[in-house]
């Protein structure tokens, strides 16, 4: 085998898009990711584990908000009907009476059976794969808060970290040691809070390590350790670009399925309305391939056989590339290098339909090309020497720093987070007088965390569903201030009013007000 190893790191996250309204856009986000990404990923890893010829290793972070959605009984009950509605729409469409349509129908039915085989207990399957040492499960900040923009109130950062750790332990029976920092965003001193929360390792973008002090001798090809004892692994762009880039990488191949052309845009609005669907939007029903034509209207029908052949070729190309890269680095550095390839998990299956098949192929072909996989946990457990380094502020977002989450479209919310965070710290530090007020304070903590989600800031910058993002931010902030006012008021809040909020934003059942206790 080639010396050196490859670590695939997937970040699985969705904002808290639980909706009481079946058929909502927010519900679609979750169910599409479940159907196209999480279920196929589990299937691929489980099949690879069951093969005697393969040794799959993946580090994957499961965000607390995603775990909440995966465990929600209402959403579990709705998912099969959501899938069956799409199968019905597919069968009615004249555009689906071809090989592409038959393949799509077969694949949807397959994933529905995949879901039914475990009665929707997806989290248990992740847990089992960790026990088999195929997965290293990490956490993420509670609601994917962009931590550098919360640093003015350190307790707000601690609230995100502590709540996340408690949720991970609730679902998996043990505290996580690894964390995916939202957007790989780092600021000086964050490692101190991580250590205080008993977190031990994470991933940063390459420049966060290369611009660190002192500059690490082995660059991004070995993890670094800070003076606070936190290990950081650095993203290797050479290992990631071929997989995530639609322009320069595999997903843009003409044979692969086109993401943007969806039957949801073609079905008459009136027909969708009769089924309770709120207007034209993507339904996850895609029958065309990328093709070489530019216009979205000029796409050829998807050919699953050609796509499957292309997946095998691209997996081979990727492994050959990593082998050459490792050999070159060994010659140049004299060490056994580690390549870190982190991705959003939703790339595999949702954004890039063939992504799970690609993972299955690289696990299958890895032995032939003498490429070895590892997880971050396993690498650290091998007690290899770490480079001493203090990382620099960075992110893996556009521009490499914080500007995507701090600009003219979304900067206004930072001040709102700051005011609410300080009020939360003050109230938690002073304490409350009775059990009802403690519940009110805990609910205020949930609303604060939900308002801090970086997803809404991202949407405001991206300019997509901006009204939805603004509504979510204002909704949670307004609820937060109403709850805080209820604690201070003599009239307070009735238990029925509180129960209504607890039911609607029913996340983080073990939330602890002490997490926001003032840091001196």
């Amino acid at each position: 085998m080639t010396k050196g190893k490859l670590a695939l790191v997937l970040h699985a996250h969705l904002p808290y898009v639980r909706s009481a309204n079946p058929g909502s856009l927010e519900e679609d986000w979750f169910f599409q990711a479940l159907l196209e990404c999480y279920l196929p990923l589990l299937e691929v890893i489980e099949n690879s584990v069951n093969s005697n010829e393969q040794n799959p290793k993946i580090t994957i972070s499961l965000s607390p908000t995603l775990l909440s959605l995966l465990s929600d009984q209402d959403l579990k009950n709705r998912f099969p009907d959501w899938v069956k509605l799409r199968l019905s729409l597919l069968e009615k469409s004249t555009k689906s009476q071809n090989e592409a349509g038959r393949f799509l129908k077969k694949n949807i039915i397959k994933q529905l059976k995949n879901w039914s085989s475990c009665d929707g207990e997806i989290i248990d399957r992740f847990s089992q794969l960790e026990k088999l040492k195929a997965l290293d499960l990490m956490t993420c900040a509670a609601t994917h808060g962009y931590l550098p923009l919360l640093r003015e109130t350190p307790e707000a950062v601690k609230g995100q970290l502590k709540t996340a750790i408690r949720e991970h332990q609730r679902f998996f029976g043990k505290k996580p040691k690894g964390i995916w920092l939202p957007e790989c965003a780092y600021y000086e001193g964050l490692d101190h809070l991580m250590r205080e929360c008993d977190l031990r390792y994470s991933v940063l973008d390459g420049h966060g390590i290369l611009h660190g002090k002192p500059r690490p001798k082995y660059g991004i090809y070995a993890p670094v350790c800070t003076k606070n004892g936190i290990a950081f692994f650095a993203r290797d762009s050479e290992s990631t670009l071929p997989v995530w880039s639609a322009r320069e990488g595999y997903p843009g191949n003409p044979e692969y399925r086109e993401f943007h052309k969806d039957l949801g845009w073609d079905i008459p609005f009136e027909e969708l309305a009769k089924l309770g669907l709120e207007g034209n939007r993507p339904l996850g029903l895609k029958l065309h391939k990328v093709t070489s034509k530019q216009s979205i209207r000029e796409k050829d029908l998807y050919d699953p056989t050609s796509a499957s052949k292309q997946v095998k070729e691209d997996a081979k190309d990727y492994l050959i590339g990593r082998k050459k890269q490792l050999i070159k680095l060994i010659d140049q550095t004299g060490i056994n290098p580690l390549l870190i390839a982190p991705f959003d998990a939703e790339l595999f299956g949702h954004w890039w339909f063939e992504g799970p098949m690609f993972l299955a192929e690289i696990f299958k072909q890895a032995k032939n090309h003498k490429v070895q996989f590892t997880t971050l946990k396993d690498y650290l457990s091998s007690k290899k020497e770490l480079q001493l380094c203090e990382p620099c502020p960075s992110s893996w977002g556009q521009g490499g720093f914080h500007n995507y989450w701090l600009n003219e479209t979304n900067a206004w919310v930072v001040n709102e987070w700051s005011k609410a965070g300080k009020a939360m710290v003050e109230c938690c530090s002073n304490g409350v007088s009775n059990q009802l007020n403690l519940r009110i304070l805990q609910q205020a903590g949930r609303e604060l965390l939900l308002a801090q989600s970086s997803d809404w800031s991202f949407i405001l910058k991206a300019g997509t569903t901006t009204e939805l993002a603004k509504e979510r931010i204002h909704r949670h902030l307004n609820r937060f201030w109403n709850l805080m006012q209820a604690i201070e008021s003599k009239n307070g809040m009735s238990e029925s009013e509180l129960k209504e909020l607890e039911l609607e934003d029913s996340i983080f059942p073990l939330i602890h007000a002490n997490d926001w206790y003032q840091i001196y």
Side-chain angles (χ1 to χ4, degrees), residues 75-85 112 115-116:
L75 293 176
K76 287 181 184 180
N77 293 340
R78 289 186 215 164
F79 179 65
D81 288 339
W82 182 92
V83 175
K84 291 171 185 176
L85 175 59
L112 184 58
W115 163 268
S116 301

Side-chain angles (χ1 to χ4, degrees), residues 326-395:
L326 288 168
I327 292 173
K328 182 179 178 180
L329 287 168
I330 292 167
D331 291 341
Q332 291 176 340
T333 65
I335 64 168
N336 291 335
L338 176 65
L339 305 179
I340 303 295
F343 308 95
D344 283 325
E346 289 74 26
L347 168 68
F348 296 91
H350 179 59
W351 298 104
W352 179 26
F353 175 71
E354 294 77 12
M357 292 182 266
F358 174 82
L359 286 177
E361 276 299 317
I362 63 173
F363 290 140
K364 184 178 180 181
Q365 297 184 34
K367 193 172 182 179
N368 293 337
H369 298 287
K370 300 181 179 180
V371 174
Q372 299 180 76
F373 298 101
T374 188
T375 64
L376 304 188
K377 179 182 178 181
D378 284 352
Y379 189 89
L380 291 176
S381 298
S382 66
K383 298 182 180 179
K384 295 185 181 296
E385 190 173 328
L386 302 179
Q387 309 171 86
L388 186 63
C389 173
E390 299 300 318
C392 79
S394 56
S395 84

Side-chain angles (χ1 to χ4, degrees), residues 480-509:
F480 171 82
W481 288 115
N482 288 338
L483 289 159
M484 297 302 287
Q485 187 177 14
I487 293 173
E488 297 172 2
S489 171
K490 291 182 179 180
N491 296 326
M493 175 179 283
S494 69
E495 185 161 355
S496 61
E497 290 175 308
L498 178 58
K499 279 185 176 179
E500 187 175 340
L501 287 178
E502 289 174 331
L503 182 62
E504 187 165 349
D505 291 334
S506 54
I507 193 170
F508 309 142

Side-chain angles (χ1 to χ4, degrees), residues 146-158:
Y146 195 83
L147 303 183
L149 299 184
L150 303 178
R151 65 179 298 184
E152 183 181 353
T153 309
E155 297 86 355
V157 177
K158 188 157 68 83

Side-chain angles (χ1 to χ4, degrees), residues 132-165:
L132 294 172
K133 298 186 177 180
L135 295 184
D136 167 20
L137 296 181
M138 300 197 301
T139 188
C140 181
T143 58
H144 214 265
Y146 195 83
L147 303 183
L149 299 184
L150 303 178
R151 65 179 298 184
E152 183 181 353
T153 309
E155 297 86 355
V157 177
K158 188 157 68 83
Q160 283 275 348
L161 299 180
K162 287 279 193 178
T163 305
I165 291 166

Side-chain angles (χ1 to χ4, degrees), residues 4 13 32 41 46 67 106 147 160 165 200 215 229 271 318-320 323 330 341 355 389 415 421 451 511:
H13 164 69
Q32 284 186 23
L41 272 178
E46 288 165 346
L67 288 172
K106 182 179 178 180
L147 303 183
Q160 283 275 348
I165 291 166
R200 287 294 180 264
R215 184 181 174 91
E271 186 175 338
Y318 183 75
L319 290 168
I320 290 173
K323 181 180 178 181
I330 292 167
C389 173
N415 188 49
I511 195 166

Side-chain angles (χ1 to χ4, degrees), residues 7-11 59-61 136 138-139 177-186 190 194 200-209 220 223-224 230-236 240 338-343 375-377 380 391-392 394-396:
L8 300 173
V9 184
L10 304 187
H11 173 46
T59 301
I60 183 167
S61 67
D136 167 20
M138 300 197 301
T139 188
K177 293 298 181 182
I179 183 171
W180 178 275
L181 297 175
E183 311 301 345
C184 296
Y186 183 79
L190 178 56
M194 291 171 65
R200 287 294 180 264
Y201 58 94
S202 190
V203 176
L204 299 181
D205 203 87
H207 63 287
I209 300 298
I220 63 174
V224 303
I230 306 300
F232 287 102
F233 297 82
R235 182 179 78 96
D236 171 39
T240 54
L338 176 65
L339 305 179
I340 303 295
F343 308 95
T375 64
L376 304 188
K377 179 182 178 181
L380 291 176
C392 79
S394 56
S395 84
W396 78 341

